[in-house]
Amino acid sequence: MGARWIKASVLYFLVGIGFGLYMHATVQLQWGATHAHIGVVGWLTTAVIGLIYSVFPHAGNTTLGKAQFWLYHIGLPILLVGMLIIQPSIGAPVGLIEFTVWGGGGAVALSLLLFVMNVYQNVHSPEG
């Protein structure tokens, strides 16, 4: 699973760079928080989880690790869409904004709780 996490992180890296370039070129800086979340939660956090699961492959291949992967990678795009449409200029319905931000954000938060549980249950030093 570690390689899957790392490959996904590279996609978020490209999206983050592209989005940052778009913001700069159009001087539309109101999406700074979204850009930061793409970089930190999408690229950096995803890459670190991938590295941990590469060093400790058993943890990444557990049912908990696989559930965490899917919950995270379904929730994060939903959260990021919510962060984009929350801008008043977009005019998205409040219910849609709430669903994407709370639903996607909740999925990511739950996924990260599963990650913490997985690390404490399945990541062990070689000595035991």
Side-chain angles (χ1 to χ4, degrees), residues 22-93:
Y22 167 78
M23 286 174 50
H24 175 73
T26 60
V27 194
Q28 294 188 37
L29 306 178
Q30 68 269 25
W31 289 302
T34 305
H35 174 63
H37 276 76
I38 295 168
V40 174
V41 181
W43 177 52
L44 181 61
T45 303
T46 306
V48 170
I49 292 169
L51 291 173
I52 290 169
Y53 285 159
S54 293
V55 173
F56 301 97
H58 169 71
N61 291 318
T62 62
T63 301
L64 194 57
K66 291 175 183 175
Q68 186 232 339
F69 177 87
W70 289 110
L71 191 57
Y72 186 92
H73 291 292
I74 291 169
L76 185 55
I78 293 170
L79 171 62
L80 295 174
V81 166
M83 293 182 76
L84 284 170
I85 66 172
I86 203 167
Q87 296 297 324
S89 61
I90 301 293

Side-chain angles (χ1 to χ4, degrees), residues 6 11 14 17 21 28 31 36 41 47 49-50 52 59 68 70 73 77 82-83 86 97 102-103 111 113 117-118 125:
I6 292 169
L11 295 177
L14 290 174
I17 294 296
L21 290 171
Q28 294 188 37
W31 289 302
V41 181
I49 292 169
I52 290 169
Q68 186 232 339
W70 289 110
H73 291 292
M83 293 182 76
I86 203 167
I97 293 169
W102 287 104
S111 169
L113 287 174
M117 289 172 43
N118 196 16
S125 65

